[in-house]
Amino acid sequence: LTQLVRSICSSPASSRHHLVLSGMCTFLGSYSTVWASSCPPQSVLEILAYLASAIPTPAATEAAGKGMRLVLISVGPKLAKAAASPGADPSSYNFISTALTQSMEAALSSCNATVMENVAEGCARVCVQLKDSSQTKTILTSVAMPSLHRCRSSLDAISASSSDNSSGHAASQVESATQTLISCLGVLKQLIRFCDASIGET
């Protein structure tokens, strides 16, 4: 299986037929516990990058989001242990931060609230596994920042359009901005929810 996943991740997601790509994303998610136990951290990060690259393909978007959630949940302890182990590369946390932030940005670009919330949950679950609380805070902030920026942009768009009530275009802009705001608030809700749940379990 680990050889198969290397083969999958070595080919660009965009080169796959959309139905095959969807099936691959489902496969990667379904065997997430196998990757967590058998793959080195670098391979895990490659799996996440592959799933992120599959999100823009409409037929694979939801499968990629679900797969990413499952992989993130399963591999969180492995990534945290590798980053905190004696002699670990000091840049390990940077790699984790980059992977999670890029995963979240890919989910946001889908404009699919379910995908966004699935990935947010997975990212939060990884962050709370990290042994260094300062890194947890830093990486969570990085993951949340794209959503915060989109919330601010949406509020600005709504405010700018509110003075033009007679324009159909303005109404359409407000509706689009409102939907974006709702989706991004859903992401922030998931990040907070699973961080709070982890604190409650300790």
Side-chain angles (χ1 to χ4, degrees), residues 44-91:
V44 168
L45 296 178
E46 290 172 1
I47 292 172
L48 292 174
Y50 185 86
L51 289 168
S53 70
I55 285 179
T57 303
T61 298
E62 294 207 0
K66 290 177 182 177
M68 193 174 290
R69 172 185 173 273
L70 292 170
V71 171
L72 286 166
I73 290 172
S74 296
V75 305
K78 185 186 195 80
L79 293 176
K81 183 178 179 180
S85 62
D89 187 335
S91 63

Side-chain angles (χ1 to χ4, degrees), residues 57 63 113 124 138 148 178 194:
T57 303
T138 298
L148 291 170
T178 301
F194 288 98

Side-chain angles (χ1 to χ4, degrees), residues 10-195:
S10 65
S11 300
S14 58
S15 68
R16 306 283 186 180
H17 185 278
H18 61 277
L19 295 179
V20 174
L21 182 58
S22 178
M24 287 181 170
C25 292
T26 299
F27 166 76
L28 290 172
S30 297
Y31 286 88
S32 61
T33 55
V34 175
W35 319 139
S37 62
S38 304
C39 291
Q42 182 56 41
S43 295
V44 168
L45 296 178
E46 290 172 1
I47 292 172
L48 292 174
Y50 185 86
L51 289 168
S53 70
I55 285 179
T57 303
T61 298
E62 294 207 0
K66 290 177 182 177
M68 193 174 290
R69 172 185 173 273
L70 292 170
V71 171
L72 286 166
I73 290 172
S74 296
V75 305
K78 185 186 195 80
L79 293 176
K81 183 178 179 180
S85 62
D89 187 335
S91 63
S92 295
Y93 285 112
N94 291 335
F95 290 136
I96 295 172
S97 179
T98 298
L100 297 188
T101 303
Q102 290 179 347
S103 296
M104 196 68 254
E105 289 175 340
L108 289 170
S109 69
S110 74
C111 298
N112 183 312
T114 300
V115 171
M116 292 159 65
E117 291 185 12
N118 277 335
V119 175
E121 176 187 345
C123 289
R125 287 180 180 271
V126 171
C127 287
V128 297
Q129 295 285 339
L130 301 177
K131 311 301 182 183
D132 186 330
S133 60
S134 65
Q135 291 290 346
T136 297
K137 180 179 178 181
T138 298
I139 296 175
L140 267 175
T141 300
S142 296
V143 171
M145 200 57 67
S147 294
L148 291 170
H149 287 321
R150 288 178 182 236
C151 285
R152 170 49 61 189
S153 296
S154 296
L155 289 170
D156 289 343
I158 292 169
S159 177
S161 300
S162 62
S163 59
D164 187 4
N165 297 324
S166 61
S167 170
H169 178 65
S172 176
Q173 283 187 321
V174 169
E175 182 178 0
S176 176
T178 301
Q179 288 302 318
T180 299
L181 179 61
I182 291 171
S183 296
C184 289
L185 289 174
V187 167
L188 297 175
K189 177 184 176 182
Q190 290 294 88
L191 293 174
I192 295 169
R193 174 190 174 194
F194 288 98
C195 287

